[in-house]
């Protein structure tokens, strides 16, 4: 039985989600079906790419539409406008012509039966050379129009950003889109919760905390990054070392500058320039720097308990009766006069109880690290920008020499560690409130700052309970003033 040569596969592409205000998906499909009825074509497939750009050829329905022809499931390819098939011009037009002629795109040899390509505007591969000329021309016109649209978009973005307006899209972490207070359009304003998270993360990095630990603290607080499920070292580094936290914006990869060539900040900064420079220096890869993994401690008292029989700290071990802190000096070949062991949860409850009873109601003061001496670096950056602009218009030997001197000066300033000043800031919370909501890492740090020494004495046989006199604590001096971090 001879196969009919009028099976049609339909394809429609919309550049954005169809709704009541833009091109009607139903109208385009109806138009194609009317064309099929007029030409005696039987619809065997309908492919719709909704919201996908014609600038890329890996659209799933577009590829399936072509596959209908290559695998001989259809004899006619039908679309509303051939100029909407691709915005890549000749690149994809050549591939489609191979499909129409039944050729292999790599070898040029016959690979499947030829097909007919037609649109609702009169372009039809049955018209021979006239079709090829019109089809290629339409593809190049579509490509050129896409380039013009991209140029217009870039120009619009540059213009809006120079005026301190937000051009659209997802705002950087730490900011939110608001109505422009100085005129029409949108602008950016600081998002309080996210800005607080950035400031706390920056403070911890400047205080020397491992980046892994800082990420874990952010995830514990529940403040999510923009485009990831949780914070990672890479995600956090991009935020802390980016220019957005300084209120700056980039245009085509270059920082926005004023008429004098100075870097401008259209939006409120979350971090100071001094903080940013110090953070970038702290997070700069250094193969000679010892790695600090920020590994999660096994228990809240890990490394804080000492054995009465030797000076070594107790370590966490699992026993049939549960988790314990025990001296393993003898196991490691050392000498301990009287190794001790104590139930982990019992001694933790006891020590934490002592801490909260003593300082739980006191105001919690947190350390805030301030940095300085970055003003000169900012001036040098502006001078380098001026030198680069001068070289772009007049490349002279003197200009190159000046640029080299400025870059060398900048390198010296970057190598100098900014001055750091640690101050205590009232957190507005009590030590007890902070402790109960903190990560185990931070709880451990608070206990370490409060206790000079915690010695576990040997126990006696009897009921499984902790005798308080077994735990000998020595508080930090100065009335526990040093317990804050």
């Amino acid at each position: 039985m001879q196969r009919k040569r009028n099976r049609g596969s339909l394809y429609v592409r919309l550049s954005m989600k169809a709704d009541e205000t833009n091109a009607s998906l139903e109208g385009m499909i109806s138009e194609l079906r009317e064309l099929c009825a007029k030409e005696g074509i039987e619809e065997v497939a309908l492919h719709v790419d909704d919201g996908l750009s014609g600038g890329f050829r890996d659209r799933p329905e577009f590829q399936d539409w072509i596959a209908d022809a290559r695998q001989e499931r259809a004899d006619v390819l039908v679309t509303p406008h051939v100029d909407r098939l691709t915005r890549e011009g000749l690149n994809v037009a050549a591939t489609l012509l191979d499909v129409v002629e039944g050729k292999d795109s790599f070898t040029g040899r016959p690979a499947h039966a030829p097909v007919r390509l037609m649109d609702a505007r009169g372009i039809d591969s049955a018209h021979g050379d006239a079709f090829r000329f019109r089809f290629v021309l339409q593809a190049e016109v579509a490509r050129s129009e896409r380039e013009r649209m991209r140029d217009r978009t870039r120009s619009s973005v540059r213009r809006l950003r120079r005026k301190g307006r937000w051009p659209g899209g997802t705002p950087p972490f730490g900011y939110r889109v608001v109505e422009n207070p100085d005129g029409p359009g949108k602008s950016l304003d600081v998002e309080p919760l996210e800005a607080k998270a950035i400031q706390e993360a920056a403070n911890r990095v400047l205080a020397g905390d491992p980046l892994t630990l800082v990420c874990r603290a952010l995830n514990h607080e529940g403040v999510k990054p923009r485009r990831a499920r949780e914070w990672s070292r890479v995600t956090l580094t991009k935020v802390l070392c980016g220019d957005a936290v300084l209120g700056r914006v980039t245009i085509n990869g270059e920082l926005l500058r004023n008429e004098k060539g100075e870097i401008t900040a259209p939006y409120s900064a979350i971090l100071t320039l001094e903080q940013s420079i110090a953070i970038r220096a702290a997070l700069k890869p250094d193969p000679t720097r010892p790695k600090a993994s920020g590994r999660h401690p096994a228990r809240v008292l890990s490394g804080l308990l000492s054995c009465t029989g030797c000076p070594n700290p107790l370590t966490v071990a699992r026993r049939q009766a549960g988790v314990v802190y025990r001296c393993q000096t003898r196991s490691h070949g050392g000498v301990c006069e009287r190794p001790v062991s104590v139930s982990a949860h019992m001694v933790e409850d006891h020590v934490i109880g002592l801490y909260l009873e003593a300082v739980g109601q006191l105001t919690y003061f947190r350390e805030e690290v301030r940095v300085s001496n970055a003003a000169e670096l900012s001036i040098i950056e502006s001078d380098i920008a001026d030198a680069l602009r001068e070289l772009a218009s007049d490349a002279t030997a003197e200009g190159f020499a000046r640029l080299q001197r400025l870059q060398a000066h900048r390198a010296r300033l970057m190598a100098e560690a900014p001055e750091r000043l640690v101050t205590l800031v009232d957190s507005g919370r009590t030590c007890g409130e902070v402790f109960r909501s903190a990560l185990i890492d931070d709880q451990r740090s608070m206990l370490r700052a409060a206790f000079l020494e915690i010695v576990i004495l040997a126990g006696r046989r009897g009921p499984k309970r902790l005798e308080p006199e077994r735990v000998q604590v020595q508080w930090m001096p100065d009335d526990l003033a040093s317990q804050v971090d």
Side-chain angles (χ1 to χ4, degrees), residues 182-327:
D182 300 320
K186 303 292 184 180
S187 185
L188 292 185
D189 192 17
V190 172
E191 205 290 319
L193 290 179
E194 294 180 352
K196 181 182 178 182
I198 291 175
Q199 291 164 348
E200 291 180 351
N203 193 66
R204 296 187 72 139
V205 169
L206 293 175
D209 284 355
L211 200 58
T212 303
L213 173 57
V214 182
C215 291
R216 193 157 61 242
L218 286 176
N219 292 327
H220 177 72
E221 293 295 329
V223 182
K224 301 294 184 182
R226 281 282 185 268
R227 296 183 176 88
R229 295 179 58 185
E230 61 180 14
W231 291 99
S232 66
R233 293 171 58 89
V234 173
T235 305
L236 183 56
T237 298
K238 287 182 178 179
V239 171
L240 293 180
C241 296
D243 290 296
V245 293
L246 297 173
R248 298 172 172 178
V249 297
T250 57
I251 300 176
N252 296 336
E254 299 292 334
L255 286 172
L256 179 65
R257 297 175 182 271
N258 59 20
E259 296 78 6
K260 298 180 180 180
E262 300 168 338
I263 298 174
T264 61
Y267 311 120
S268 299
I270 296 175
L271 300 179
T272 66
L273 178 60
E274 287 81 5
Q275 286 177 306
S276 176
I277 293 172
I279 288 171
R280 294 182 189 193
L283 298 182
K284 183 179 180 180
D286 183 0
T288 65
R289 181 187 303 158
K291 292 186 177 181
S293 64
R295 185 176 60 183
H296 198 303
R299 307 285 298 195
V300 69
L301 295 181
S302 294
L304 303 184
L305 304 181
S306 298
C307 176
T308 187
C310 67
N312 295 325
L314 304 186
T315 58
V316 177
R318 293 188 177 276
R319 293 292 180 265
Q320 188 173 1
V323 182
V324 298
Y325 291 95
R326 64 184 294 265
C327 176

Side-chain angles (χ1 to χ4, degrees), residues 20 63 99 131 158 168 179 186 213 215 233 252 257 282 329 347 470 473 475 483:
E20 295 80 359
Q63 293 297 328
V99 172
F131 158 75
R158 285 195 296 267
E179 295 296 330
K186 303 292 184 180
L213 173 57
C215 291
R233 293 171 58 89
N252 296 336
R257 297 175 182 271
T329 299
V347 71
R470 286 191 61 197
V473 301
W475 297 90
Q483 58 81 34

Side-chain angles (χ1 to χ4, degrees), residues 125-177:
S125 62
H127 296 163
D129 288 343
F131 158 75
R132 293 178 67 92
F133 285 126
R134 291 187 63 187
F135 179 65
V136 171
L137 180 62
Q138 291 282 12
E140 276 299 295
V141 168
R143 181 200 61 78
S144 178
E145 176 60 23
R146 178 172 182 260
E147 291 301 316
R148 287 195 296 271
M149 292 171 60
R150 293 175 66 179
D151 288 341
R152 289 196 296 268
T153 300
R154 292 192 188 103
S155 297
S156 175
V157 169
R158 285 195 296 267
R159 184 173 63 256
L160 291 174
R161 287 186 171 177
R162 290 186 189 282
K163 294 181 178 180
R165 292 169 57 184
W166 181 245
T170 304
F173 185 83
Y175 293 89
R176 59 186 176 184
V177 179

